Amino acid sequence: MYTPFPHRLLAACALPLMALQPLHAAATELVVIVSAKSQVASMRAEQVADIFLGQVGTFPDGAEAVALDQRIGTGLRDEFYARVTAKTPALLKAYWTKMIFTGRGQPPQEAGDSAAVRRMVADNPALIGYIDKAALDHSVKAVLVVR
């Protein structure tokens, strides 16, 4: 089917602009948090990824670690997994499908938003979560700034 020249030009210009949109959405600064009561002071991205992907069930000091996720479909969740584990939502879904099918693990429990994650993590030193840095308060501490 023939597309008149101006429409082809417009379409060719629009695609690169659409590809840039996620860069503007990535302005949120994420932090990985633990309870203020926890002995953990800092963590590397690899250590956090291992906990969130069910590969490790302890913090670096040996204490129990239980991951707490944001809701599926939220931009914060997608950004966290892209930056920390290099997994897209589709890859993450495939990963957990395989883990569940083989009996090697279950995905983390989910909480509604950054405020809910912060409250739950603050109350339980075994939990680890991630939130928007703007939601930080004295009840939790950041162990990793996700860039």
Side-chain angles (χ1 to χ4, degrees):
M1 183 161 128
Y2 173 75
T3 304
F5 176 75
H7 291 108
R8 284 185 288 168
L9 181 61
L10 181 61
C13 292
L15 287 176
L17 290 176
M18 288 169 44
L20 291 176
Q21 285 178 340
L23 295 176
H24 299 294
T28 303
E29 192 167 11
L30 295 170
V31 289
V32 177
I33 58 167
V34 296
S35 172
K37 303 169 196 168
S38 173
Q39 299 300 312
V40 178
S42 67
M43 295 179 70
R44 294 185 323 273
E46 301 81 31
Q47 293 170 315
V48 172
D50 286 346
I51 292 170
F52 275 87
L53 294 176
Q55 300 297 315
V56 174
T58 58
F59 287 113
D61 68 356
E64 178 186 19
V66 179
L68 182 61
D69 251 335
Q70 298 272 344
R71 227 173 338 118
I72 288 178
T74 61
L76 206 59
R77 178 183 173 126
D78 294 346
E79 193 173 329
F80 170 79
Y81 278 100
R83 291 182 184 182
V84 174
T85 68
K87 292 192 183 300
T88 64
L91 287 174
L92 190 62
K93 182 177 180 179
Y95 174 83
W96 281 114
T97 299
K98 180 180 176 182
M99 292 293 283
I100 292 166
F101 181 75
T102 60
R104 294 189 301 156
Q106 292 289 321
Q109 176 184 347
E110 295 178 15
D113 59 12
S114 288
V117 170
R118 185 189 66 233
R119 281 192 302 274
M120 292 174 73
V121 168
D123 292 339
N124 186 342
L127 291 178
I128 181 172
Y130 53 91
I131 61 174
D132 184 329
K133 187 175 182 180
L136 268 177
D137 70 11
H138 66 281
S139 67
V140 294
K141 58 183 168 183
V143 292
L144 176 69
V145 176
V146 180
R147 293 183 176 18

